[in-house]
Amino acid sequence: MSALATGHGEMWVRTHGAGPVRVVALHGFTLHGDMYARLAETADAAVAAPDLPGHGKTAVQPITMGTAVDSMASLIRTLADPPVLLGYSQGGRIALQVALTFPDLIGSLVLVATSPGLSERARKLRTAADDGLASRIERIGTERFIAEWLANPLVATDHVDREVRDRDRCMRLENSAAGLAAALRGMGQATVTDSRRRIPNLPMPVVFVAGANDERYAEHATAMAASRNERPVLVENSGHNVILEAPAAVAKVINRLLQTA
């Protein structure tokens, strides 16, 4: 793990695997860069997995979608070649905005369980809901919130073995209530406008991935892929936690892109 100075403060980057870094992977809400340790075991290149603002050891301020995008660009500029940029859930939203803002920095893009953004009306409703949840995180603290969060069927970890499940929970508990609340307010779904019309114009190869059992995000992946005349990768027997449940399947997508780069 190493610290990278950005224009918004230090960002901590966890590197998994051996050799030169050719993959940058952005984690989901309540996690940090160690969520990619198992995926890196079957990837054909080292994976740089930063702690996103509000998570882990990163100290980027203020915690907003804009500072997150700028900080990711700072990391990517340190690499020898444009990487495969992978983002999962909240990290997927950030990865998509990085690709839209700095397309020349990205070799290829993998969006896992990612939304294309919300309409203005939906954003207003989601802003109120996210602010309410952020206030609850601040009130009840990390441990109680993580217990509630993992009780949600969308993100529940019941489908993996106990060792993996316990490691995942411990990782989430390393985050602070203040950081998670700020990440929800500053980088939640309400912060991203509907990008569906822009996705077909992305110049790099893009792969859309979702768990086949994750109905809402499988629909997102299918629709976004169709807008580029492509097909999504729907991972069988997996839900929203597709990287936790099937890391090798996602690594296979990465390896295919690395081979064609």
Side-chain angles (χ1 to χ4, degrees):
M1 185 165 61
S2 60
L4 174 70
T6 77
H8 307 286
E10 278 192 341
M11 180 171 66
W12 284 81
V13 182
R14 303 169 193 254
T15 302
H16 307 289
V21 171
R22 297 180 63 198
V23 180
V24 174
L26 310 185
H27 63 79
F29 179 59
T30 78
L31 292 155
H32 61 51
D34 275 353
M35 78 163 286
Y36 289 105
R38 290 175 65 230
L39 180 148
E41 293 174 1
T42 49
D44 290 342
V47 177
D51 291 353
L52 297 179
H55 296 79
K57 296 181 177 294
T58 284
V60 165
Q61 292 289 339
I63 298 171
T64 66
M65 183 59 70
T67 58
V69 169
D70 286 346
S71 297
M72 297 312 122
S74 295
L75 169 59
I76 293 167
R77 289 190 181 104
T78 68
L79 304 179
D81 297 297
V84 175
L85 177 61
L86 180 149
Y88 162 71
S89 199
Q90 184 175 76
R93 290 195 296 275
I94 295 170
L96 175 57
Q97 296 309 307
V98 173
L100 290 169
T101 307
F102 301 104
D104 293 343
L105 296 181
I106 311 303
S108 53
L109 179 66
V110 182
L111 298 178
V112 183
T114 298
S115 162
L118 301 175
S119 68
E120 287 303 309
R121 181 176 182 277
R123 288 179 67 200
K124 290 178 181 178
L125 295 173
R126 188 63 187 241
T127 296
D130 282 353
D131 187 60
L133 183 56
S135 295
R136 179 166 179 78
I137 297 171
E138 293 166 331
R139 186 167 65 253
I140 66 176
T142 302
E143 185 169 2
R144 186 174 168 190
F145 170 68
I146 292 301
E148 293 182 354
W149 182 256
L150 293 178
N152 181 342
L154 178 68
V155 294
T157 57
D158 301 339
H159 305 298
V160 297
D161 64 52
R162 183 166 183 171
E163 181 181 353
V164 173
R165 185 166 66 246
D166 288 348
R167 192 182 308 130
D168 175 85
R169 181 176 178 276
C170 288
M171 185 193 320
R172 296 173 193 267
L173 290 174
E174 292 177 23
N175 294 307
S176 70
L180 293 179
L184 191 58
R185 291 187 177 109
M187 306 184 307
Q189 290 202 42
T191 65
V192 179
T193 58
D194 190 341
S195 301
R196 284 176 291 184
R197 292 185 179 179
R198 301 178 66 191
I199 287 171
N201 298 322
L202 285 169
M204 73 289 293
V206 186
V207 182
F208 304 91
V209 182
N213 297 338
D214 184 9
E215 183 176 347
R216 185 196 320 171
Y217 286 90
E219 288 178 357
H220 286 322
T222 299
M224 289 188 287
S227 75
R228 295 173 62 90
N229 296 315
E230 296 169 4
R231 298 180 66 181
V233 175
L234 302 182
V235 181
E236 293 298 324
N237 301 314
S238 292
H240 192 71
N241 277 326
V242 60
I243 292 175
L244 183 72
E245 296 170 3
V250 182
K252 185 177 180 180
V253 172
I254 293 171
N255 292 342
R256 186 169 68 247
L257 290 169
L258 290 171
Q259 290 166 7
T260 58

